Amino acid sequence: DYFLTLDEPMNNITTTLGQTAELHCRVSGNPPPTVRWLKNDAPVVQEPRRISFRATPYGSRLRIRNLDTTDTGYFQCVATNGRSTVSSTGVLFVKFGPPPTASPGSS
């Protein structure tokens, strides 16, 4: 049987500068779906050692390291398996953290 299911809606994440965020797209289907990632309706561009996404047993995972406030936005995963399409959207909000105390001399 052909099917495509969004197993769980994407989570919203609020985090601070310099952290790592992971967004999970939990989908299942037959045939197995391919997943695309969008940020504010534009395709997510992978950056070496910073932004990456990969297929996982549950669907797909998007990881963004060393977060900047410009990473804030609406992230959407779109899963397609040729017969149908499902999508889920989550919000990533990157805020300025408390000022660092461990490194004197930094502005």
Side-chain angles (χ1 to χ4, degrees), residues 7-86:
D7 296 321
E8 201 177 294
M10 202 188 306
N11 46 336
N12 295 333
I13 295 178
T14 298
T15 184
T16 52
L17 283 172
Q19 297 296 310
T20 296
E22 286 192 359
L23 292 159
H24 300 276
C25 190
R26 299 183 186 278
V27 291
S28 54
N30 183 40
T34 56
V35 175
R36 293 183 301 128
W37 287 94
L38 305 173
K39 176 192 174 188
N40 300 334
D41 297 323
V44 172
V45 179
Q46 302 203 61
E47 295 177 20
R49 291 181 299 285
R50 198 177 94 80
I51 300 176
S52 62
F53 46 85
R54 66 180 184 89
T56 61
Y58 57 76
S60 182
R61 185 206 67 210
L62 172 65
R63 178 182 284 160
I64 306 174
R65 301 175 193 274
N66 192 21
L67 287 163
D68 190 86
T69 51
T70 57
D71 292 316
T72 293
Y74 291 90
F75 285 81
Q76 182 181 34
C77 72
V78 181
T80 312
N81 69 351
R83 287 295 181 93
S84 54
T85 300
V86 296

